[in-house]
Amino acid sequence: MVKIPPRFRQWFDQQGWTILPHQREMVSRYQKGQSTLLTAPTGTGKTLAGFLGSLIEISETQPKGLHTLYISPLKALNYDIERNVTAIIDALNLPVRVESRTGDTSAYRRKRQRAKPPHILMTTPESLMLLLSYPEARDMFGSIEAVVIDEIHQVAASKRGDLITLALAQIEAYRPGFRRIGLSATVADPDLFCLWLGKTGQPVNHFNSPSTGKPPQVSILKTKEPVPFTGFVAQYAVSEIMAEIEKAGSTIVFVNTRFQAELLFQFLWEVNDDALPIAIFHASLTREIRAKTMKMMAEGKLRGLVATSAIELGIDWGDVDVVIQVGAPKGVSRLLQRIGRSNHQVDVPSKAFLVPANRFEVLECEAAMLAIKARHLDGDHPLPGSQDVAIQFILNAACSAPVTPHQLHQLVMQSWSYRQLTYEQFEELFQFVIDGGYVLRNYDRWQRLIKQDDGRWIPANKAVIQRHRKNIGVIIEAGKLKVKRRHGRGGKYLGEIEESFGQSLRPGDTFYFAGEILAFERIHDMTLEARASAAKEPMIPTYAGGQMPLSTFLAEGVRAFLQDEKGFEKLPKMVRNWLQLQARFSVLPDRKSLLVESFPRGKLNCVIFYTFEGRRANQTLGMMVSRRMERIGLHPLSFTVTDYGLAINSLQPVTAETVYDLLSPDILADELEEWLAESPMLKRSFRRVATIAGIVEQNNNAARKTLKQVTFSTDLIYDVLRKYEPGHVLLALARSDAERELLDLDRLTDMILKFQRHIEFRDLPRPSPLSLPVILDVRTERLPGGGMEALLAQQSLAETAETLMHEVEDAFKS
């Protein structure tokens, strides 16, 4: 029998709400001491369901210590949930203390929280690991009754998820049997996430809330201008986007990158004739600007907000009328998460428009809408835990209390992500934490653990502990410069840009940032100083890691859509004609074979592979195929990648006889190994794992190291280890990390093996209609080699999008 006190039931009545079945079920399971993964649609009180059992128990038992821990991937979500939970506590006058703990929390408050924890603590994976590094961790977490992990799909398949599972294992040692509660609206494989959330061999139970509320209303925004062949900001649709903002009370316009956010905001501002209050939100803006924007949005003072994924998770702004996704969604679950920000109410359908930036993205949007209608989800799955994270955890545990390898290995094995980590593997990681290995043990800096008389290990000195605590986490950012807008003798900090972009500016250069146009003046003490400017055609800051890969599920959906010619009728006329022309001139890609087209481009030749495997996989394929083309004398010059295809320009054409050689499975060994040996890819990966493993620090005392300083340090260590200790554990981790995070090698391998004997090759007299979005993409990789030298002896070729499109259209008219 579920016990929900009368005052809680009265509070629901006062809000005009009904206690929903999944909320009642979660209270019942909590009171039975059960751990549960709850999957429920966005806007159905999912987070409240996760907290309700704790609030009831705390109000009745009034415990002295920390009772419930709430973990989310975003600081903004912590603050939002804290605000909502506090509202309930205040309304019912409950004797419950709730606080947030993030990187923004003051030093005084952090210290007080360790000495006198609140009943409910909202935190992030990084801040949780920091709390676990203190000697009082056992006392602080020994009273835990429940850990709630929100938006579990967002973190479980990442290194931040590895941090969480290790933290759960540590808490289990302090408080065996605490409840583990996972929350998500978009988990595609609940059984796998139940395993991830539980102890090894003890998956949590799953409760899937029956579909509550009405399905979302999603459509492609109709525009006067046709969808262009290429592009990534959808400038053609700016007037229609602004018109939707004008019609709605409140609108969130989602984009996929900070680059797009800055550019689209400027486009909207230029057509904002009524001066409606609109704003921009992304992670590089200062906390103060972000907090102010969120407050204005929550209070209904903004009509429009251009935002990245920094707010796509459960922020509860019930008055948002419309969500507009500009650019392809890249994943069904991600799109649903964003759509769910609209009309955060059970009985009101979310309303959303999709605005594809180019014609391939129209297909992606249609595939996503079909998946939503069929209630199909996608998303990344939890993988075996990364060993560089385990290295960081070893030192973290030693900072809290003396450890032994055997005892710590037993603890780590309680995490599902590390269930297969053998003692021999763990012992190697532990030895690395002790002294860095054969080469590095000669330097005092990497002597991090010392052995006590009782056989247990502790940090070598206080400096080791301090350096570790300042660098906890797995988010490895590019070097950052603070951006300060100067005004008179003073100024205002607006946020951060990447160091590489700032270093490229000259005095007087202008750029967009925080919705303003700024003129660069100088860089001083890691701060970029600029003044407001009214200049035209400013630059846009670029950010590393801004590309979201197309999900495998959605890629299959696009391929399936291309085989359904009846579905073409719902497409815009220009897109429908584009596909029909492709079917007449060449062939449309299907799910059983890989379409490869070869055609001349002036004095060059182009081959295009329609992979639909995402930008990262296509980038890796481009590197490997171009190397093989050079080997067999085709002289590749450059290649271009999109999520949908790879195009390579060369002096000699690819033929039906050579195409199978280019996609032979042995390319995954021969060309891949040669390329990795020569490319900076492994050094880049080594920099990531070395930073997570604590060999170098992003933060040193009060200063943050520049990217140049970190790169110099890690490159030097990398070169030394390769020469003198090629079997070093970090070199092996760098290789596996590159394959998993940078190369998308598993996905690429699956594609090559699937299509190696199923290639549809077309030798064409000119570019096909389907090839235009790929070959006209502005992001092109130039290749070294003899082909470039041979080209210099030929007449240069200047092509424009217009001439190519006219060429294709004229061919069909004739």
Coordinates of all heavy atoms in Angstrom, one line a residue, residues 463-541:
A463 N 50.9 18.5 -2.0 CA 50.9 19.1 -3.4 C 50.2 18.1 -4.3 O 49.4 18.5 -5.2 CB 52.3 19.4 -3.8
V464 N 50.4 16.8 -4.2 CA 49.7 15.8 -5.0 C 48.2 15.9 -4.9 O 47.5 15.9 -5.9 CB 50.2 14.4 -4.7 CG1 49.3 13.3 -5.4 CG2 51.7 14.2 -5.1
I465 N 47.7 16.0 -3.6 CA 46.3 16.1 -3.4 C 45.7 17.4 -4.0 O 44.7 17.4 -4.6 CB 46.0 16.1 -1.9 CG1 46.5 14.7 -1.3 CG2 44.6 16.3 -1.6 CD1 46.4 14.7 0.2
Q466 N 46.4 18.5 -3.8 CA 46.0 19.8 -4.3 C 45.9 19.8 -5.8 O 44.9 20.3 -6.4 CB 46.9 20.9 -3.8 CG 46.8 21.2 -2.3 CD 47.9 22.1 -1.8 OE1 48.8 22.4 -2.5 NE2 47.7 22.6 -0.6
R467 N 46.9 19.3 -6.5 CA 46.9 19.2 -7.9 C 45.7 18.3 -8.4 O 45.0 18.7 -9.4 CB 48.2 18.7 -8.5 CG 49.4 19.7 -8.4 CD 50.5 19.3 -9.3 NE 51.0 18.0 -9.2 CZ 52.0 17.7 -8.4 NH1 52.6 18.6 -7.7 NH2 52.4 16.4 -8.3
H468 N 45.5 17.2 -7.8 CA 44.5 16.3 -8.2 C 43.1 17.0 -8.0 O 42.3 16.9 -9.0 CB 44.5 15.0 -7.3 CG 43.3 14.2 -7.5 ND1 43.1 13.4 -8.7 CD2 42.2 14.0 -6.7 CE1 41.9 12.8 -8.5 NE2 41.4 13.1 -7.4
R469 N 42.8 17.6 -6.9 CA 41.5 18.2 -6.7 C 41.2 19.3 -7.6 O 40.0 19.6 -8.0 CB 41.4 18.6 -5.2 CG 41.2 17.5 -4.2 CD 41.2 17.9 -2.8 NE 41.0 16.8 -1.9 CZ 41.3 16.8 -0.6 NH1 41.8 17.9 -0.1 NH2 41.1 15.7 0.1
K470 N 42.2 20.0 -8.1 CA 42.0 21.1 -9.0 C 41.7 20.6 -10.4 O 41.3 21.4 -11.3 CB 43.2 22.1 -9.0 CG 43.4 22.9 -7.7 CD 44.6 23.8 -7.8 CE 44.7 24.7 -6.6 NZ 43.6 25.6 -6.3
N471 N 42.0 19.4 -10.7 CA 41.9 18.9 -12.0 C 41.0 17.6 -12.2 O 41.1 16.9 -13.1 CB 43.3 18.5 -12.6 CG 44.1 19.7 -12.8 OD1 44.1 20.4 -13.8 ND2 45.0 20.1 -11.8
I472 N 40.1 17.4 -11.2 CA 39.2 16.3 -11.3 C 38.2 16.5 -12.4 O 37.7 17.6 -12.7 CB 38.4 16.2 -9.9 CG1 39.3 15.6 -8.8 CG2 37.1 15.3 -10.1 CD1 38.6 15.6 -7.5
G473 N 37.9 15.5 -13.1 CA 37.0 15.5 -14.2 C 37.5 15.0 -15.5 O 38.7 14.7 -15.6
V474 N 36.7 14.8 -16.5 CA 37.1 14.2 -17.8 C 36.7 15.1 -19.0 O 36.9 14.7 -20.1 CB 36.3 12.8 -17.9 CG1 36.8 11.8 -16.9 CG2 34.8 13.0 -17.9
I475 N 36.3 16.3 -18.7 CA 36.0 17.2 -19.8 C 37.3 18.0 -20.1 O 37.7 18.8 -19.3 CB 34.9 18.2 -19.4 CG1 33.6 17.5 -19.1 CG2 34.7 19.2 -20.6 CD1 32.5 18.4 -18.6
I476 N 37.9 17.6 -21.2 CA 39.2 18.2 -21.6 C 38.9 19.3 -22.6 O 38.5 19.1 -23.8 CB 40.1 17.2 -22.2 CG1 40.3 16.0 -21.3 CG2 41.5 17.8 -22.5 CD1 40.7 16.4 -19.9
E477 N 39.0 20.5 -22.2 CA 38.6 21.7 -23.0 C 39.9 22.2 -23.8 O 41.0 22.0 -23.3 CB 38.1 22.8 -22.2 CG 36.8 22.4 -21.5 CD 36.2 23.5 -20.6 OE1 37.0 24.4 -20.3 OE2 35.0 23.6 -20.4
A478 N 39.6 22.8 -24.9 CA 40.7 23.5 -25.6 C 41.1 24.7 -24.7 O 40.3 25.2 -23.9 CB 40.3 23.9 -27.0
G479 N 42.3 25.3 -25.0 CA 42.7 26.4 -24.2 C 41.7 27.6 -24.4 O 41.2 27.8 -25.5
K480 N 41.4 28.2 -23.3 CA 40.3 29.3 -23.3 C 40.9 30.6 -22.9 O 41.8 30.7 -22.1 CB 39.2 28.9 -22.3 CG 38.4 27.7 -22.7 CD 37.6 27.8 -23.9 CE 36.8 26.6 -24.2 NZ 35.7 26.3 -23.2
L481 N 40.3 31.7 -23.6 CA 40.6 33.1 -23.2 C 39.3 33.7 -22.7 O 38.3 33.5 -23.3 CB 41.1 33.8 -24.4 CG 42.4 33.4 -25.1 CD1 42.6 34.2 -26.4 CD2 43.6 33.6 -24.1
K482 N 39.4 34.4 -21.6 CA 38.2 35.1 -21.1 C 38.0 36.3 -22.1 O 39.0 36.9 -22.6 CB 38.5 35.7 -19.7 CG 38.5 34.6 -18.7 CD 38.7 35.2 -17.3 CE 38.7 34.1 -16.2 NZ 38.8 34.7 -14.8
V483 N 36.8 36.6 -22.4 CA 36.4 37.8 -23.2 C 35.9 38.9 -22.4 O 34.9 38.8 -21.7 CB 35.4 37.4 -24.3 CG1 35.0 38.6 -25.2 CG2 35.9 36.2 -25.2
K484 N 36.6 40.0 -22.5 CA 36.2 41.2 -21.7 C 35.9 42.3 -22.7 O 36.7 42.7 -23.5 CB 37.4 41.6 -20.8 CG 37.0 42.8 -19.9 CD 38.2 43.2 -19.0 CE 37.9 44.3 -18.0 NZ 39.0 44.6 -17.2
R485 N 34.7 42.8 -22.6 CA 34.3 44.0 -23.4 C 34.7 45.3 -22.6 O 34.1 45.5 -21.5 CB 32.8 44.0 -23.7 CG 32.3 45.1 -24.6 CD 30.8 45.2 -24.7 NE 30.3 45.5 -23.3 CZ 29.1 45.1 -22.9 NH1 28.3 44.4 -23.7 NH2 28.7 45.4 -21.7
R486 N 35.6 46.0 -23.1 CA 36.1 47.2 -22.4 C 35.2 48.4 -22.7 O 34.6 48.5 -23.7 CB 37.5 47.5 -22.9 CG 38.5 46.5 -22.5 CD 39.9 46.9 -22.9 NE 40.3 48.1 -22.2 CZ 41.4 48.8 -22.5 NH1 42.2 48.4 -23.4 NH2 41.7 49.9 -21.8
H487 N 35.0 49.2 -21.6 CA 34.2 50.4 -21.7 C 34.9 51.4 -20.8 O 34.8 51.3 -19.6 CB 32.8 50.1 -21.3 CG 31.9 51.4 -21.5 ND1 31.5 51.8 -22.7 CD2 31.4 52.2 -20.5 CE1 30.7 52.9 -22.5 NE2 30.6 53.1 -21.2
G488 N 35.5 52.4 -21.4 CA 36.2 53.4 -20.6 C 37.4 52.7 -19.9 O 38.1 52.0 -20.5
R489 N 37.5 52.9 -18.6 CA 38.6 52.2 -17.9 C 38.2 50.9 -17.3 O 39.0 50.1 -16.9 CB 39.0 53.1 -16.7 CG 39.7 54.4 -17.1 CD 40.2 55.2 -15.9 NE 40.9 56.4 -16.3 CZ 41.4 57.3 -15.4 NH1 41.4 57.0 -14.1 NH2 42.0 58.4 -15.9
G490 N 36.9 50.6 -17.4 CA 36.4 49.4 -16.8 C 36.0 48.4 -18.0 O 36.6 48.4 -19.0
G491 N 35.1 47.5 -17.7 CA 34.7 46.5 -18.6 C 33.8 45.5 -18.0 O 33.6 45.4 -16.8
K492 N 33.4 44.5 -18.9 CA 32.5 43.5 -18.4 C 32.9 42.2 -19.1 O 33.2 42.1 -20.3 CB 31.1 43.8 -18.8 CG 30.1 42.7 -18.4 CD 28.7 43.1 -18.9 CE 27.7 42.0 -18.5 NZ 26.3 42.3 -19.0
Y493 N 33.0 41.1 -18.3 CA 33.3 39.8 -18.8 C 32.1 39.2 -19.4 O 31.0 39.1 -18.8 CB 33.9 38.9 -17.7 CG 35.3 39.2 -17.3 CD1 35.6 40.0 -16.2 CD2 36.4 38.9 -18.1 CE1 36.9 40.3 -15.8 CE2 37.7 39.2 -17.8 CZ 37.9 39.9 -16.6 OH 39.2 40.3 -16.3
L494 N 32.2 38.7 -20.7 CA 31.1 38.1 -21.4 C 31.2 36.6 -21.4 O 30.1 35.9 -21.6 CB 31.1 38.6 -22.8 CG 31.0 40.2 -23.0 CD1 31.0 40.6 -24.4 CD2 29.7 40.7 -22.3
G495 N 32.3 36.0 -21.3 CA 32.5 34.5 -21.4 C 33.8 34.1 -21.9 O 34.8 34.8 -21.6
E496 N 33.9 33.0 -22.6 CA 35.2 32.5 -23.0 C 35.2 32.1 -24.5 O 34.1 31.6 -25.0 CB 35.6 31.3 -22.2 CG 35.9 31.6 -20.7 CD 36.2 30.3 -20.0 OE1 35.7 29.3 -20.3 OE2 37.0 30.4 -19.0
I497 N 36.3 32.3 -25.2 CA 36.5 31.7 -26.5 C 37.7 30.9 -26.5 O 38.5 30.9 -25.6 CB 36.6 32.8 -27.6 CG1 37.8 33.7 -27.4 CG2 35.3 33.6 -27.7 CD1 38.1 34.6 -28.5
E498 N 37.8 30.0 -27.5 CA 39.0 29.2 -27.6 C 40.2 29.9 -28.0 O 40.2 30.8 -28.8 CB 38.7 28.0 -28.5 CG 37.6 27.1 -28.0 CD 37.5 25.8 -28.7 OE1 38.3 25.5 -29.7 OE2 36.7 25.0 -28.3
E499 N 41.3 29.6 -27.3 CA 42.6 30.3 -27.5 C 43.1 30.4 -28.9 O 43.6 31.4 -29.4 CB 43.6 29.5 -26.6 CG 45.0 30.2 -26.5 CD 45.9 29.4 -25.7 OE1 45.5 28.4 -25.1 OE2 47.1 29.7 -25.7
S500 N 42.9 29.3 -29.7 CA 43.4 29.3 -31.1 C 42.7 30.3 -31.9 O 43.3 30.9 -32.8 CB 43.1 27.9 -31.7 OG 41.7 27.5 -31.6
F501 N 41.4 30.6 -31.7 CA 40.7 31.6 -32.4 C 41.2 33.0 -32.0 O 41.4 33.9 -32.8 CB 39.2 31.5 -32.2 CG 38.4 32.6 -32.8 CD1 38.1 32.6 -34.2 CD2 37.9 33.7 -32.1 CE1 37.4 33.6 -34.8 CE2 37.2 34.7 -32.7 CZ 37.0 34.7 -34.0
G502 N 41.3 33.2 -30.7 CA 41.8 34.5 -30.2 C 43.2 34.8 -30.7 O 43.4 36.0 -31.1
Q503 N 44.1 33.8 -30.8 CA 45.4 34.1 -31.3 C 45.5 34.4 -32.7 O 46.4 35.0 -33.2 CB 46.3 32.9 -31.0 CG 46.5 32.5 -29.5 CD 47.4 33.5 -28.8 OE1 47.9 34.4 -29.4 NE2 47.6 33.3 -27.5
S504 N 44.4 34.1 -33.5 CA 44.4 34.4 -34.9 C 43.9 35.8 -35.2 O 44.1 36.3 -36.4 CB 43.4 33.4 -35.6 OG 42.1 33.7 -35.3
L505 N 43.5 36.6 -34.2 CA 42.9 37.9 -34.4 C 44.0 38.9 -34.4 O 45.0 38.8 -33.7 CB 41.9 38.3 -33.4 CG 40.6 37.4 -33.3 CD1 39.8 37.7 -32.1 CD2 39.8 37.5 -34.6
R506 N 43.8 40.0 -35.2 CA 44.7 41.1 -35.2 C 43.9 42.4 -34.7 O 42.7 42.4 -34.8 CB 45.2 41.4 -36.6 CG 46.1 40.3 -37.2 CD 46.4 40.6 -38.7 NE 45.1 40.6 -39.5 CZ 45.1 40.8 -40.8 NH1 46.2 41.1 -41.4 NH2 44.0 40.8 -41.4
P507 N 44.6 43.3 -34.1 CA 43.9 44.5 -33.7 C 43.0 45.1 -34.7 O 43.4 45.3 -35.9 CB 45.1 45.5 -33.3 CG 46.2 44.6 -32.9 CD 46.1 43.4 -33.9
G508 N 41.8 45.3 -34.3 CA 40.8 45.9 -35.3 C 39.9 44.8 -35.9 O 38.8 45.2 -36.4
D509 N 40.3 43.5 -35.8 CA 39.4 42.5 -36.3 C 38.1 42.4 -35.5 O 38.2 42.6 -34.3 CB 40.1 41.1 -36.3 CG 41.2 41.0 -37.4 OD1 41.2 41.8 -38.3 OD2 42.0 40.0 -37.3
T510 N 37.0 42.2 -36.2 CA 35.8 42.1 -35.5 C 35.2 40.7 -35.5 O 35.5 39.9 -36.4 CB 34.7 43.1 -36.1 OG1 34.6 42.7 -37.5 CG2 35.2 44.5 -35.9
F511 N 34.4 40.4 -34.4 CA 33.8 39.0 -34.3 C 32.6 39.1 -33.5 O 32.4 40.0 -32.7 CB 34.8 38.0 -33.7 CG 35.3 38.4 -32.3 CD1 34.7 37.8 -31.2 CD2 36.3 39.3 -32.1 CE1 35.1 38.1 -29.9 CE2 36.7 39.6 -30.8 CZ 36.1 39.0 -29.7
Y512 N 31.7 38.1 -33.8 CA 30.4 38.0 -33.0 C 30.7 37.2 -31.7 O 31.5 36.3 -31.6 CB 29.4 37.1 -33.7 CG 28.8 37.8 -35.0 CD1 28.7 37.1 -36.2 CD2 28.2 39.0 -34.9 CE1 28.1 37.6 -37.3 CE2 27.6 39.6 -36.0 CZ 27.6 38.9 -37.2 OH 27.0 39.5 -38.3
F513 N 30.1 37.7 -30.6 CA 30.2 37.0 -29.3 C 29.1 37.5 -28.4 O 29.0 38.7 -28.3 CB 31.6 37.1 -28.7 CG 31.7 36.1 -27.5 CD1 31.8 34.8 -27.7 CD2 31.7 36.6 -26.2 CE1 31.9 33.9 -26.7 CE2 31.8 35.7 -25.1 CZ 31.9 34.4 -25.3
A514 N 28.4 36.6 -27.7 CA 27.4 36.9 -26.8 C 26.3 37.8 -27.4 O 25.7 38.7 -26.7 CB 28.0 37.6 -25.5
G515 N 26.1 37.6 -28.7 CA 25.1 38.4 -29.4 C 25.5 39.8 -29.7 O 24.7 40.6 -30.1
E516 N 26.8 40.1 -29.6 CA 27.3 41.5 -29.9 C 28.4 41.4 -31.0 O 28.9 40.3 -31.3 CB 27.9 42.1 -28.6 CG 26.9 42.2 -27.5 CD 27.6 42.9 -26.3 OE1 28.5 43.8 -26.5 OE2 27.2 42.6 -25.1
I517 N 28.7 42.5 -31.5 CA 29.9 42.6 -32.4 C 31.0 43.3 -31.7 O 30.8 44.4 -31.1 CB 29.6 43.4 -33.7 CG1 28.4 42.7 -34.5 CG2 30.8 43.5 -34.6 CD1 28.0 43.4 -35.7
L518 N 32.1 42.6 -31.6 CA 33.3 43.2 -30.8 C 34.5 43.4 -31.7 O 34.7 42.6 -32.7 CB 33.7 42.2 -29.7 CG 32.6 41.8 -28.7 CD1 33.1 40.8 -27.7 CD2 32.1 43.1 -27.9
A519 N 35.3 44.4 -31.4 CA 36.5 44.7 -32.1 C 37.7 44.3 -31.2 O 37.8 44.8 -30.1 CB 36.6 46.1 -32.5
F520 N 38.5 43.4 -31.7 CA 39.7 42.9 -30.9 C 40.7 44.0 -30.7 O 41.0 44.8 -31.6 CB 40.3 41.7 -31.7 CG 41.6 41.3 -31.1 CD1 41.6 40.5 -29.9 CD2 42.8 41.6 -31.7 CE1 42.8 40.1 -29.4 CE2 44.0 41.2 -31.1 CZ 44.0 40.4 -30.0
E521 N 41.2 44.1 -29.4 CA 42.3 45.0 -29.1 C 43.6 44.3 -28.7 O 44.6 44.5 -29.3 CB 41.8 45.9 -27.9 CG 40.7 46.9 -28.3 CD 40.4 47.9 -27.3 OE1 40.8 47.7 -26.1 OE2 39.8 49.0 -27.6
R522 N 43.5 43.4 -27.7 CA 44.7 42.7 -27.3 C 44.4 41.5 -26.4 O 43.2 41.4 -26.0 CB 45.6 43.7 -26.5 CG 45.1 44.1 -25.2 CD 46.1 44.8 -24.3 NE 45.6 45.1 -23.0 CZ 46.3 45.5 -21.9 NH1 47.6 45.6 -22.1 NH2 45.8 45.7 -20.8
I523 N 45.4 40.7 -26.2 CA 45.3 39.6 -25.2 C 46.3 39.8 -24.1 O 47.5 40.1 -24.4 CB 45.6 38.2 -25.9 CG1 44.6 37.9 -27.0 CG2 45.7 37.1 -24.9 CD1 44.9 36.7 -27.8
H524 N 45.8 39.8 -22.9 CA 46.6 40.1 -21.7 C 46.2 39.2 -20.6 O 45.0 39.2 -20.2 CB 46.5 41.6 -21.3 CG 47.3 42.0 -20.1 ND1 48.7 42.0 -20.2 CD2 46.9 42.4 -18.9 CE1 49.1 42.4 -19.0 NE2 48.0 42.6 -18.2
D525 N 47.1 38.5 -20.0 CA 46.9 37.6 -18.9 C 45.7 36.7 -19.2 O 44.7 36.5 -18.4 CB 46.6 38.4 -17.6 CG 47.8 39.1 -17.1 OD1 48.9 38.6 -17.4 OD2 47.7 40.1 -16.3
M526 N 45.7 36.0 -20.3 CA 44.7 35.0 -20.7 C 43.3 35.7 -20.9 O 42.3 35.0 -20.7 CB 44.7 33.8 -19.8 CG 45.9 33.0 -19.8 SD 46.4 32.4 -21.4 CE 45.1 31.2 -21.7
T527 N 43.3 37.0 -21.1 CA 42.0 37.7 -21.3 C 42.1 38.4 -22.6 O 43.0 39.1 -22.9 CB 41.8 38.7 -20.2 OG1 41.7 38.0 -18.9 CG2 40.5 39.5 -20.4
L528 N 41.1 38.2 -23.5 CA 41.0 38.9 -24.7 C 40.1 40.2 -24.5 O 39.0 40.1 -24.1 CB 40.3 38.0 -25.8 CG 40.2 38.6 -27.2 CD1 40.2 37.4 -28.2 CD2 38.9 39.4 -27.4
E529 N 40.7 41.3 -24.7 CA 40.1 42.6 -24.5 C 39.6 43.1 -25.9 O 40.3 43.1 -26.9 CB 41.0 43.6 -23.9 CG 41.5 43.1 -22.5 CD 42.4 44.1 -21.8 OE1 42.8 45.0 -22.5 OE2 42.8 43.9 -20.6
A530 N 38.3 43.6 -25.9 CA 37.7 44.1 -27.1 C 36.7 45.2 -26.8 O 36.3 45.4 -25.6 CB 37.0 42.9 -27.8
R531 N 36.3 45.9 -27.8 CA 35.4 47.0 -27.6 C 34.2 46.7 -28.5 O 34.3 46.0 -29.5 CB 36.0 48.3 -28.0 CG 37.0 48.8 -26.9 CD 37.5 50.2 -27.2 NE 38.4 50.7 -26.3 CZ 38.1 51.3 -25.1 NH1 36.8 51.4 -24.8 NH2 39.1 51.7 -24.3
A532 N 33.0 47.3 -28.2 CA 31.8 47.2 -29.0 C 32.1 47.8 -30.3 O 32.8 48.8 -30.4 CB 30.6 47.8 -28.3
S533 N 31.5 47.2 -31.4 CA 31.7 47.7 -32.7 C 30.5 47.6 -33.5 O 29.6 46.8 -33.2 CB 32.9 46.9 -33.4 OG 33.0 47.2 -34.8
A534 N 30.4 48.4 -34.6 CA 29.2 48.3 -35.5 C 29.7 47.9 -36.9 O 29.0 48.0 -37.8 CB 28.6 49.7 -35.6
A535 N 30.9 47.3 -36.9 CA 31.4 46.9 -38.2 C 30.6 45.8 -38.9 O 29.9 45.0 -38.2 CB 32.8 46.4 -38.0
K536 N 30.6 45.7 -40.2 CA 29.9 44.7 -40.9 C 30.9 43.5 -41.2 O 32.1 43.6 -41.1 CB 29.4 45.2 -42.2 CG 28.4 46.4 -42.1 CD 27.2 45.9 -41.3 CE 26.2 47.1 -41.2 NZ 25.0 46.7 -40.5
E537 N 30.3 42.3 -41.5 CA 31.0 41.1 -41.8 C 32.0 40.7 -40.8 O 33.2 40.5 -41.1 CB 31.6 41.2 -43.2 CG 30.6 41.5 -44.3 CD 31.2 41.5 -45.7 OE1 32.5 41.2 -45.8 OE2 30.5 41.7 -46.7
P538 N 31.7 40.7 -39.5 CA 32.6 40.2 -38.5 C 32.8 38.7 -38.6 O 32.0 38.0 -39.2 CB 31.9 40.5 -37.2 CG 30.5 40.6 -37.5 CD 30.4 41.0 -38.9
M539 N 33.9 38.2 -38.0 CA 34.1 36.7 -37.9 C 33.3 36.1 -36.8 O 32.7 36.8 -36.0 CB 35.6 36.5 -37.7 CG 36.5 36.9 -38.9 SD 38.2 36.5 -38.6 CE 38.6 37.9 -37.5
I540 N 33.2 34.7 -36.8 CA 32.5 34.0 -35.8 C 33.5 33.1 -35.1 O 34.2 32.3 -35.8 CB 31.4 33.2 -36.5 CG1 30.5 34.1 -37.3 CG2 30.5 32.5 -35.4 CD1 29.6 33.3 -38.2
P541 N 33.5 33.1 -33.8 CA 34.4 32.2 -33.1 C 34.1 30.7 -33.4 O 33.0 30.3 -33.5 CB 34.1 32.5 -31.6 CG 33.5 33.8 -31.6 CD 32.8 34.0 -32.9

